[in-house]
Amino acid sequence: MKKMRTHRWMCIFFALLLSLSLIPFPGFAAAEQVTLTTPSQMTRLWIYESSDGRDTLQGPYHQVSSGPDAGQVAYCLQHRKLSPNGNTHSAEGLFGNYSQRIATGLQAILEYGYDGSSDIIRDDYGNILTSTKSQSHYGTLNAIRMWLSEQPETQADLYGFTNLSIYSSDAQLDALAAQGNVPGQLYPQGEDGQASFRLALYLLKKARHQETKPHTVSFSSNAVTARRDGEYLTASVKLQLTGIDRATITASGLPSGTTVQDSSGHNAIGRTYTNGTTISVRIPLQ
């Protein structure tokens, strides 16, 4: 009988443990204040053509300069507006302002494009698309411009020369990459311009196909150890993250009196952790 009761406690524990959820970290904590800066030096690797003639297409490098994410690259979603420089903003998740398709496309570009961690970006076959910071960053920011400028909901904030919606198939985009320009719209210059152009078209295809990287957040099952401690059941679990760097723990649905702590003894609810972090859970047997 005792063995059966212990087994039942374990079943209850694991059922409750499933209520302990993890959400991918969105980049900033709620209501966090961040400052964005934009160096005066611009990257200019393409020439654009509009009704006013031809000119170089500027590529500002926006950067977070304050808070825990200081140093991270930031991208503009409204090409027609002035670049922030020293402005303080309330960082919050804005994907909800866009349709699911637009948001997923942006996510795909940001995941496969330049995030500041490596200057080299490869295609799906391991071939190098871009090999320098300027190539990778410029290609990524222009992929964002291309993606948003072909969406009816957002194209008012962008310029028409980055709208490639008439080239609707992968084959047409591949032909543009081989050709090295978009007649009447965009003319990449030199090898840096061509490399960034190929990356931008590669990322645009990812956005159109809604192809994001795999993301999983789970507990390592082979790392779970549970035991009864008086009127509580306690266990330690290890976080396993794939495709994301950090995740925030929530515990909605767990019974009153449950505690969730990290290895330092801090309350883990609402905190953000990295892959491999050990979390301890203590659930009342009620």
Side-chain angles (χ1 to χ4, degrees):
M1 180 63 67
K2 183 177 180 180
K3 183 176 181 181
M4 291 177 64
R5 288 168 56 194
T6 302
H7 177 69
R8 180 173 177 271
W9 290 331
M10 291 296 291
C11 290
I12 292 173
F13 171 77
F14 284 113
L16 292 173
L17 189 59
L18 292 176
S19 298
L20 184 66
S21 60
L22 292 150
I23 56 175
F25 187 68
F28 299 103
E32 178 185 331
Q33 297 296 308
V34 298
T35 302
L36 298 180
T37 56
T38 304
S40 58
Q41 186 175 359
M42 299 280 184
T43 303
R44 298 176 173 88
L45 301 181
W46 302 358
I47 290 174
Y48 71 88
E49 183 174 338
S50 67
S51 58
D52 297 325
R54 293 189 178 188
D55 202 350
T56 55
L57 181 57
Q58 297 183 352
Y61 190 93
H62 307 305
Q63 193 171 42
V64 179
S65 59
S66 69
D69 294 281
Q72 288 195 3
V73 61
Y75 290 97
C76 179
L77 304 179
Q78 298 170 306
H79 190 186
R80 287 181 177 271
K81 295 192 175 182
L82 295 176
S83 295
N85 193 17
N87 307 78
T88 299
H89 303 269
S90 178
E92 53 186 316
L94 297 179
F95 271 15
N97 295 346
Y98 298 99
S99 68
Q100 184 62 51
R101 176 169 173 77
I102 293 177
T104 301
L106 287 171
Q107 180 180 336
I109 292 171
L110 294 172
E111 288 181 350
Y112 285 96
Y114 178 73
D115 63 1
S117 63
S118 174
D119 295 342
I120 297 175
I121 297 179
R122 301 175 183 270
D123 65 15
D124 298 339
Y125 304 99
N127 302 310
I128 294 177
L129 290 169
T130 52
S131 57
T132 68
K133 175 181 175 179
S134 61
Q135 291 175 0
S136 299
H137 175 261
Y138 195 79
T140 302
L141 74 85
N142 278 306
I144 292 173
R145 291 168 174 173
M146 290 174 173
W147 173 241
L148 293 177
S149 63
E150 68 180 33
Q151 309 302 320
E153 305 99 303
T154 55
Q155 58 189 199
D157 292 325
L158 285 298
Y159 292 99
F161 52 78
T162 54
N163 185 344
L164 305 189
S165 57
I166 62 172
Y167 304 98
S168 58
S169 69
D170 284 0
Q172 288 174 308
L173 293 184
D174 290 341
L176 291 177
Q179 180 175 289
N181 62 68
V182 183
Q185 292 179 248
L186 299 169
Y187 300 90
Q189 303 296 296
E191 180 49 39
D192 284 349
Q194 290 298 322
S196 61
F197 183 59
R198 291 189 292 269
L199 173 61
L201 296 178
Y202 166 79
L203 296 176
L204 180 59
K205 287 191 290 185
K206 293 291 187 186
R208 287 179 175 180
H209 289 298
Q210 304 284 277
E211 185 180 340
T212 59
K213 289 186 176 181
H215 304 87
T216 60
V217 184
S218 61
F219 299 108
S220 175
S221 59
N222 61 1
V224 176
T225 56
R227 63 184 178 84
R228 184 176 181 180
D229 181 11
E231 295 303 312
Y232 289 85
L233 202 60
T234 64
S236 295
V237 295
K238 185 170 289 188
L239 308 186
Q240 290 185 322
L241 310 179
T242 302
I244 57 174
D245 296 323
R246 295 170 286 176
T248 300
I249 295 179
T250 65
S252 57
L254 286 176
S256 176
T258 298
T259 60
V260 184
Q261 296 182 324
D262 59 24
S263 57
S264 298
H266 297 133
N267 177 20
I269 305 301
R271 289 178 177 264
T272 299
Y273 297 96
T274 56
N275 185 52
T277 299
T278 298
I279 299 295
S280 298
V281 185
R282 192 167 184 258
I283 300 175
L285 291 172
Q286 297 176 358

